[in-house]
Amino acid sequence: MKSERQKHENWQDPKREQLVRISNLLAQALDTAVRIPGTNLTIGLDPLLGLVPGVGDALASLIGTAILGIAGRLGLPRILLLRMSLNLLINGVVGAVPFFGDLFSVWFRSHARNARLLAQAAAEPSRSTTPDWGFVVAVIGGTGLLLLAAITAVIWLVAALWTMATTG
């Protein structure tokens, strides 16, 4: 069994540091590569690719999964991988909405979030996963509530249309 010193040295492995740097570079390219002149706003390839109908958001998400792959290669906790996956999913789903989705991608910056989570977890071998569980539960709960609201709205709309069709 490895001693605490050996475990700590493993976390400071140059290969691990290189993988963290690669994830940061990917995140920068996807989220903050270009500064918009005259503003403090930066954008990356993600919202620009999102302008391509149909495949742009899928391609940006596919590139973003490389950060997720790096996290898996580093052996980070599965709950963190789930949280990172949810960040990508949120960005991909909302990003699919024309124009609004691209603005959301500029604000949400899922790849930068994921690179930050990866760097924090890679630097702290005993990092608590409690905040990650809270995030996952909140996203799943929020998604469930939105789904329930959407189903309720559809049922109400169908009932209103049925009433209008049968009474008039």
Side-chain angles (χ1 to χ4, degrees):
M1 186 157 165
K2 291 184 178 181
S3 71
E4 282 301 312
R5 180 179 173 183
Q6 288 171 322
K7 287 180 187 176
H8 184 70
E9 287 171 357
N10 184 39
W11 285 95
Q12 294 179 336
D13 181 10
K15 289 181 183 178
R16 291 178 72 82
E17 291 175 10
Q18 182 180 12
L19 289 173
V20 171
R21 279 194 303 275
I22 290 169
S23 73
N24 287 329
L25 282 171
L26 277 170
Q28 182 180 11
L30 289 166
D31 286 339
T32 60
V34 179
R35 183 184 194 115
I36 297 174
T39 70
N40 289 333
L41 213 65
T42 57
I43 62 170
L45 289 174
D46 185 347
L48 296 176
L49 288 171
L51 295 173
V52 179
V55 297
D57 291 300
L59 184 58
S61 291
L62 184 63
I63 296 169
T65 60
I67 298 171
L68 192 60
I70 290 171
R73 187 170 174 192
L74 290 172
L76 300 183
R78 289 183 185 145
I79 186 63
L80 182 71
L81 298 177
L82 178 61
R83 180 174 178 184
M84 293 170 70
S85 296
L86 283 172
N87 284 341
L88 282 176
L89 181 64
I90 290 167
N91 191 53
V93 169
V94 177
V97 177
F99 186 69
F100 173 74
D102 300 316
L103 292 176
F104 178 80
S105 291
V106 170
W107 171 78
F108 190 63
R109 301 180 192 262
S110 65
H111 312 291
R113 287 173 189 257
N114 285 349
R116 192 169 37 255
L117 288 169
L118 182 146
Q120 288 171 349
E124 303 170 15
S126 61
R127 180 179 176 272
S128 169
T129 58
T130 303
D132 299 320
W133 277 106
F135 175 82
V136 170
V137 168
V139 167
I140 291 171
T143 302
L145 288 174
L146 285 174
L147 184 59
L148 185 62
I151 290 169
T152 303
V154 168
I155 290 172
W156 177 84
L157 182 62
V158 168
L161 290 172
W162 179 261
T163 303
M164 286 177 24
T166 58
T167 60

